Amino acid sequence: MDLTLALVIGVVVVALVFDYTNGFHDAANAIATSVSTRALTPRAALFMAAAMNFLGAHLGTQVAATVGKGIIDAPQGTHGLVIVGAGLIGAITWNMVTWYFGLPSSSSHALIGGLIGSALASASNVHWDGVVDKVVIPMILSPVIGFTLAGLIMIAILWAFRRSQPGKTNRGFRHAQTVSAAAMALGHGLQDAQKTMGVIFLALVVGGYQHDGDPIPQWVILAAATAISLGTYAGGWRIMRTLGRRIIALDPPQGFAAESAAAAVLYTAAIGFGAPISTTHTITSAIMGVGATKRLSAVRWGVAGNIVTAWILTIPAAAIVAALSYFLLHWMVE
């Protein structure tokens, strides 16, 4: 087996490991609110989220194209594969650090930060216009839109059910949350599985096994969908506690409003703009928006501040780890 083929296989395996960590790191995004309101049991919620992630991964490739072609230019051959591999190592490392501390940071931005860090370390080209248009602007807008939309949906629910009996309303929204959680999980698969597809496609192009204009192979889509689904089913209990309880104690109508708003933002970004936005940022800000309609003090802003700090650190931290990984792999392989 020649070195290039060995590196392509290695990068594909590492990409699927990242996809798996993305699944268990972000499992909380889709189901934390449903579990915290007791709309679903944890195991049933995880099974549903895994299935919907798998389906969502098959709904499009616009985000994959952005990640695979619109962030960096990696050179052909072993050097390019080392760059892609180092970027994945940076992303996985940051995922594991934030999972350990129970912080819902963005796997998407960890991946993008990793690719940027390894590209800069190798003096490769970074598409800064693509980073700004497809990453930075959506990174700023998606939490703002998620916060605002969730707040508006919650206000509409409060007005529509203002004369309803609370117990009966809560029971109804527990059933509705099954649908909104499924929509959220479908959006997560649509967004996050595609990011791994994009990296695997980039590795295949760099290794000479695909061309830029080729469609993403079916086996890549299936492998990415399977990996993220298995990771989701493995669960991410630490982060689930943070999202489900520590920001605000949610009731079923609030959970439904947050999930519906977040899912709408995910679909619009993926299908409308091919933008790889963070499901973590979107659902977390939606939960804050729902809480703020009750009263500002209902949101535990100290916990929210810690989460936002992790958001800010994600891209540079993953980039630094990826750069160091690049220098080590470059020394070992080349």
Side-chain angles (χ1 to χ4, degrees):
M1 184 186 295
D2 68 6
L3 180 59
T4 300
L5 178 57
L7 283 172
V8 168
I9 294 170
V11 170
V12 169
V13 170
V14 174
L16 293 175
V17 170
F18 166 78
D19 204 24
Y20 182 87
T21 67
N22 191 343
F24 79 70
H25 188 278
D26 290 3
N29 292 340
I31 62 173
T33 54
S34 297
V35 172
S36 71
T37 62
R38 296 182 175 83
L40 294 168
T41 65
R43 193 52 62 187
L46 283 170
F47 182 80
M48 179 273 295
M52 298 308 287
N53 264 291
F54 186 86
L55 289 174
H58 289 81
L59 294 183
T61 56
Q62 297 97 319
V63 173
T66 297
V67 173
K69 304 171 186 176
I71 305 298
I72 66 169
D73 284 334
Q76 292 288 312
T78 58
H79 190 206
L81 290 165
V82 165
I83 293 168
V84 178
L88 285 165
I89 291 170
I92 292 170
T93 302
W94 186 248
N95 266 1
M96 298 309 294
V97 168
T98 50
W99 167 82
Y100 180 80
F101 289 105
L103 291 173
S105 70
S106 169
S107 298
S108 311
H109 294 156
L111 177 59
I112 289 161
L115 291 174
I116 291 171
S118 59
L120 291 175
S122 64
S124 298
N125 182 45
V126 177
H127 294 292
W128 291 113
D129 54 342
V131 172
V132 171
D133 292 344
K134 297 288 190 178
V135 180
V136 176
I137 292 174
M139 179 174 71
I140 295 167
L141 289 180
S142 59
V144 174
I145 295 170
F147 183 97
T148 306
L149 183 59
L152 291 173
I153 292 172
M154 192 64 225
I155 289 168
I157 289 171
L158 290 171
W159 186 84
F161 292 90
R162 64 191 183 282
R163 294 190 180 90
S164 299
Q165 184 184 355
K168 186 178 179 180
T169 302
N170 280 343
R171 283 193 298 274
F173 273 103
R174 281 199 179 95
H175 295 302
Q177 265 198 280
T178 305
V179 177
S180 61
M184 181 72 201
L186 192 74
H188 182 258
L190 176 64
Q191 273 281 345
D192 285 50
Q194 284 195 52
K195 292 153 193 169
T196 301
M197 294 175 208
V199 174
I200 293 175
F201 184 76
L202 177 61
L204 293 173
V205 170
V206 167
Y209 291 90
Q210 292 279 275
H211 299 289
D212 254 339
D214 292 345
I216 293 177
Q218 189 60 41
W219 70 265
V220 173
I221 296 172
L222 187 62
T226 302
I228 200 167
S229 296
L230 291 174
T232 300
Y233 192 67
W237 304 107
R238 291 173 185 266
I239 294 170
M240 201 179 298
R241 281 193 292 271
T242 300
L243 276 180
R245 288 291 181 194
R246 289 178 60 201
I247 296 174
I248 179 176
L250 293 168
D251 60 28
Q254 290 172 327
F256 174 82
E259 289 166 347
S260 300
V265 174
L266 291 176
Y267 296 145
T268 302
I271 297 171
F273 302 100
I277 67 167
S278 168
T279 51
T280 308
H281 291 196
T282 308
I283 186 61
T284 306
S285 58
I287 291 171
M288 293 178 193
V290 161
T293 63
K294 189 175 183 181
R295 62 182 188 279
L296 288 176
S297 60
V299 179
R300 298 184 180 101
W301 296 106
V303 175
N306 291 338
I307 293 169
V308 172
T309 300
W311 292 358
I312 294 168
L313 291 175
T314 293
I315 289 179
I320 291 168
V321 175
L324 295 173
S325 301
Y326 165 77
F327 291 125
L328 178 63
L329 289 174
H330 183 59
W331 174 75
M332 290 171 59
V333 174
E334 300 179 79

